[in-house]
Amino acid sequence: MFRSDPRGLAQTVGGRIEILLDEPLGTISPNIYGHFSENLSGVIYDGIWVGENSKVPNVAGIRKELVDEMRKISPPIVRFPGGCFADSYDWRDGIGPVDKRPRRTNFWNGGEKAGAPDAHRYDPNRFGTNEFVQFCRLIGAQPYLAANLRSLPAQEFNRWIEYCNSPAGSTTLADQRAAAGFRDSYNVQYWGVGNESWGCGGNFTPQEYAVEYRRFTAWAPSYRAGDLSFVASGPSDDGWNWTRGFLEEIVRKGKEQVRGIYGLALHYYAWNLSRGKTNDWEKGKGDAVNFDVVDWYELLRQGDVMESLIKGHWLVMGEFDPEHHIKLVVDEWGPWYKPGSELTPGDQIEQLPTLRDAVFSGLTLDTFNRHPDKVGIGCCAQLINCLNSLYLAHEDRFCVTPVGHVFQMYAAHQGGTSLRTKFSVPSIHYDRDGQTASFWGLQGSASLHEKQLVLTAVNPDVKNPVEAQIVIRGAKVKSGSASMMTSSDIHARNTFDQRTAISPSTAPLEIKEDAPVFRFPAASVAKLTMTLA
Ligand code: AHR
């Protein structure tokens, strides 16, 4: 196995970080620290929902250990039920008496392997809107529901809103909600209007989708001003044509039409580790746990593309919405590897996150922090047992992945004022199939919360630590502390048998002549918390 810091080979790199207190970039919306839980394989059934009669400790059927862990990361928002699943889902199937709920063929049925539980193929609808909202309440998050635009009429979208939001006793649907034990309105603010409507969500052109979007949102039941925020299905990766085509059609009815859109969804998965050899979705993917140093850097390079996607789509959006009323909602992001690393055999698109994914996740969250004016919501894909999971679970077994630990470290940024921060650290060079490739040496973000300054950064260098002086323009540091996550093995990961193989550790923060100095270990994610004088 590759060791990231072979004794005697590492050289400490010098660097400087300058935090500009007088250059605020905006407030970091807590919602960019959001999550995504789709009814896909082991995410809901086994991951979140174990059932009230399970021997797995649970709160009203919801896995207790998950609830306890999530409370530590201050989850602001969770998206449900998809993903592609959303556009085949009838919300009515998941409400009402449990024994009367129908079983339906899950959108992901075709990908399930022999031996997978029936619930992954045939949705028992045991976990529906009420259970999801209850889960959100337990963890202190707000629900973000994705509506079915491909296979249900707009009327059903309206009725789902009515079921969730109409005041107690006001409508037949509010009475049905009360009959299930939920008298008060759920007040669901965020609603996705379809998902990936260019593909599984209807195979629309951007213009066709824009027409559908207008129809779906021309009226919706509202119970107080500003109680609904709609998220339009947006591009994947650099699909500029989708962003442009959609908005062009939206404003054909008038410039003010942009006011009916809270956000435009952007989905971005880092999947192509072929080093430029192919764009084939199957052949281009890499392995989650068996990778070399070049694969490590290639994945991080792919993660770094997020910044150009945010800036690029923002520019296109500005052509039609110069005041930038519409935000970017990055409601699916993360690495996507080929199958084979799943802890629960048969769990579709489950993968085993390593330190590499922790660094990737820190890098992505730092990117969001640097664009607080543009990114309104971010949802990591996905919460549990799927892709960039924060948690893995099967029956009574559970572990927090390195990605989950990063979310706990970065939660401190939520609601802070993002500050422009300059990182001056030499670039890394590595051999990419006979050619020299480069990547930045250290990158991160900073936020201010009254007198408390939070700096997070990732050091992508697999070998060398970076010792950086941290200069805070406009203030002195009184005291500080650090936490960091790293390992001598870049493949480090947690499993059901080794639940704490990798987790953050704390360190004192040295302050030399009013300026903190910190040694960012090789292959690490770090957080510094500083109290200003
Ligand atoms: O996250 C898995 C899938 O990836 C989602 O269902 C879909 O929206 C995306 O293509």
Side-chain angles (χ1 to χ4, degrees):
M1 240 177 213
F2 180 82
R3 303 278 144 189
S4 69
D5 191 358
R7 205 183 302 235
L9 287 181
Q11 282 187 342
T12 301
V13 177
R16 182 181 155 95
I17 302 170
E18 208 176 341
I19 304 177
L20 311 175
L21 286 185
D22 54 351
E23 293 198 39
L25 301 170
T27 302
I28 297 174
S29 163
N31 287 344
I32 69 175
Y33 286 85
H35 307 283
F36 173 35
S37 59
E38 176 164 16
N39 191 344
L40 192 183
S41 214
V43 178
I44 302 296
Y45 298 106
D46 200 17
I48 299 175
W49 180 260
V50 293
E52 297 101 325
N53 301 324
S54 169
K55 60 179 189 330
V56 180
N58 66 85
V59 189
I62 294 161
R63 184 183 287 277
K64 185 173 180 306
E65 202 164 6
L66 174 66
V67 171
D68 293 344
E69 280 302 327
M70 287 197 77
R71 284 183 176 156
K72 298 180 191 165
I73 65 169
S74 311
I77 192 164
V78 187
R79 178 173 181 244
F80 170 79
C84 293
F85 176 86
D87 279 291
S88 64
Y89 180 62
D90 185 344
W91 66 274
R92 286 186 194 263
D93 291 343
I95 60 160
V98 170
D99 56 350
K100 300 236 160 44
R101 294 187 190 174
R103 280 170 296 139
R104 303 281 187 213
T105 308
N106 189 302
F107 172 91
W108 294 97
N109 164 58
E112 286 296 293
K113 306 272 179 319
D118 283 352
H120 295 185
R121 273 208 193 90
Y122 304 106
D123 181 5
N125 277 300
R126 184 61 192 83
F127 189 89
T129 305
N130 304 327
E131 291 78 13
F132 173 64
V133 172
Q134 218 175 358
F135 169 54
C136 289
R137 286 182 176 172
L138 284 171
I139 60 174
Q142 60 175 317
Y144 165 18
L145 292 172
N148 179 343
L149 177 129
R150 178 177 58 78
S151 56
L152 283 184
Q155 175 88 307
E156 283 306 307
F157 175 41
N158 294 168
R159 294 277 150 83
W160 198 9
I161 297 174
E162 187 176 272
Y163 179 79
C164 291
N165 291 0
S166 58
S170 65
T171 63
T172 302
L173 286 171
D175 290 348
Q176 282 183 28
R177 191 184 66 224
F182 305 94
R183 186 181 167 276
D184 295 329
S185 158
Y186 291 152
N187 289 323
V188 178
Q189 167 111 36
Y190 294 99
W191 293 85
V193 185
N195 168 77
E196 297 195 350
S197 302
W198 38 265
C200 62
N203 207 9
F204 294 110
T205 66
Q207 292 78 13
E208 288 166 345
Y209 171 69
V211 173
E212 290 298 302
Y213 178 89
R214 276 202 305 253
R215 198 162 64 79
F216 264 64
T217 58
W219 182 85
S222 167
Y223 304 97
R224 61 187 161 80
D227 62 348
L228 296 174
S229 298
F230 297 131
V231 178
S233 173
S236 176
D237 312 353
D238 58 356
W240 319 119
N241 288 343
W242 180 272
T243 300
R244 183 169 284 115
F246 168 72
L247 289 171
E248 220 162 40
E249 179 56 45
I250 286 290
V251 300
R252 203 185 296 283
K253 285 277 291 172
K255 286 189 184 127
E256 70 292 343
Q257 293 278 326
V258 297
R259 302 213 154 259
I261 309 173
Y262 164 77
L264 182 67
L266 165 64
H267 290 181
Y268 176 58
Y269 289 103
W271 61 274
N272 194 338
L273 296 186
S274 74
R275 306 173 195 180
K277 292 189 191 81
T278 179
N279 275 324
D280 185 283
W281 172 248
E282 299 303 335
K283 292 189 190 127
K285 293 208 199 83
D287 197 285
V289 290
N290 299 308
F291 55 87
D292 62 19
V293 170
V294 180
D295 295 326
W296 164 282
Y297 288 125
E298 291 295 299
L299 183 84
L300 300 183
R301 290 171 87 86
Q302 291 240 329
D304 204 36
V305 169
M306 180 67 87
E307 185 136 37
S308 59
L309 297 180
I310 291 171
K311 287 181 180 166
H313 286 293
W314 192 251
L315 267 180
V316 178
M317 288 156 76
E319 293 171 21
F320 308 93
D321 177 24
E323 288 169 20
H324 284 299
H325 181 82
I326 307 171
K327 300 291 171 213
L328 273 166
V329 169
V330 191
D331 54 14
E332 291 187 29
W333 66 266
W336 193 321
Y337 303 108
K338 60 187 178 193
S341 69
E342 51 279 359
L343 281 191
T344 304
D347 265 10
Q348 207 180 142
I349 25 185
E350 180 181 307
Q351 54 198 33
L352 187 47
T354 66
L355 175 59
R356 177 174 61 162
D357 303 299
V359 173
F360 179 100
S361 301
L363 177 161
T364 304
L365 294 171
D366 282 324
T367 306
F368 293 164
N369 286 343
R370 293 196 295 269
H371 297 281
D373 53 329
K374 306 178 186 72
V375 185
I377 299 178
C379 301
C380 178
Q382 300 198 9
L383 179 68
I384 183 165
N385 292 347
C386 188
L387 299 170
N388 202 36
S389 313
L390 284 80
Y391 312 101
L392 294 168
H394 179 49
E395 297 173 346
D396 59 351
R397 315 187 81 190
F398 181 88
C399 67
V400 181
T401 73
V403 176
H405 287 305
V406 168
F407 269 85
Q408 190 173 350
M409 290 167 77
Y410 277 58
H413 280 299
Q414 293 185 20
T417 302
S418 177
L419 300 170
R420 196 159 85 80
T421 304
K422 293 198 271 189
F423 289 80
S424 310
V425 174
S427 294
I428 300 161
H429 304 287
Y430 64 97
D431 183 273
R432 186 185 192 248
D433 294 345
Q435 303 225 311
T436 303
S438 317
F439 195 62
W440 43 255
L442 192 79
Q443 192 53 274
S445 64
S447 65
L448 187 65
H449 315 244
E450 297 183 352
K451 288 274 175 200
Q452 190 99 321
L453 187 58
V454 178
L455 170 73
T456 48
V458 303
N459 178 3
D461 193 325
V462 293
K463 201 167 74 180
N464 301 315
V466 172
E467 184 161 290
Q469 188 189 30
I470 299 149
V471 178
I472 295 146
R473 212 201 280 161
K476 287 182 178 169
V477 173
K478 211 161 67 176
S479 58
S481 61
S483 67
M484 62 201 159
M485 189 162 59
T486 187
S487 169
S488 58
D489 181 0
I490 58 173
H491 311 91
R493 63 221 182 217
N494 295 331
T495 62
F496 296 148
D497 296 324
Q498 289 193 296
R499 289 168 45 123
T500 55
I502 173 162
S503 61
S505 59
T506 54
L509 183 62
E510 194 190 348
I511 301 176
K512 283 187 194 158
E513 294 160 17
D514 298 330
V517 175
F518 188 70
R519 195 166 187 270
F520 295 87
S524 70
V525 185
K527 174 179 76 168
L528 310 188
T529 310
M530 297 164 272
T531 305
L532 302 182

